[in-house]
Amino acid sequence: MTRALVLALPLVPGLALATPYDGTYRQNANADCALVGVDGGALRIEDGIFYGVESECRMTRPVNVVNMNATLYTMECSGEGARWTERAMVMEAAEGDGIIMVWDGYAFRYERCTPLTEE
């Protein structure tokens, strides 16, 4: 019974899975990390969903990139009344605490938002 459950899990639609890139990231140096998904705010990756500006993408079909610390995803996106599918590669930045996201013809570097701490 347990083996059947393990084999069936990948077939469950909408199953949320964390990625190694989960976190909140600044769109630019002055971004407000408390605002996610709006211009001037932040972006978030959480449980296999990328929350961009007025859009969100399910990060599906992950493929490890050979000889790189990177993952290629099929991004199933929706926003502003439209749906589309794209491929995107995500990797940890070599310097600093952030990620690099590459879409066809575009590359973006996002720094991780610093979590608020109580003093």
Side-chain angles (χ1 to χ4, degrees):
M1 178 90 164
T2 303
R3 183 171 182 227
L5 179 61
V6 170
L7 293 174
L9 281 177
L11 303 176
V12 177
L15 186 63
L17 299 173
T19 74
Y21 312 104
D22 279 13
T24 304
Y25 300 92
R26 298 177 178 281
Q27 290 182 50
N28 58 52
N30 299 322
D32 183 345
C33 290
L35 300 174
V36 174
V38 299
D39 283 327
L43 308 171
R44 179 175 292 144
I45 298 174
E46 182 176 41
D47 294 330
I49 301 175
F50 170 75
Y51 298 94
V53 176
E54 298 182 17
S55 65
E56 66 180 56
C57 301
R58 290 201 171 280
M59 302 169 72
T60 65
R61 301 174 56 195
V63 176
N64 291 328
V65 179
V66 176
N67 294 328
M68 294 178 70
N69 188 15
T71 309
L72 181 63
Y73 292 95
T74 297
M75 307 292 273
E76 297 173 358
C77 305
S78 62
E80 299 183 350
R83 299 179 82 67
W84 65 96
T85 301
E86 301 256 348
R87 298 283 275 167
M89 183 172 63
V90 184
M91 67 185 76
E92 296 287 336
E95 296 179 2
D97 187 18
I99 60 171
I100 296 171
M101 183 173 256
V102 180
W103 300 76
D104 188 18
Y106 301 93
F108 303 94
R109 180 186 172 94
Y110 301 116
E111 289 298 319
R112 187 178 297 271
C113 288
T114 305
L116 298 174
T117 56
E118 295 181 343
E119 296 183 8

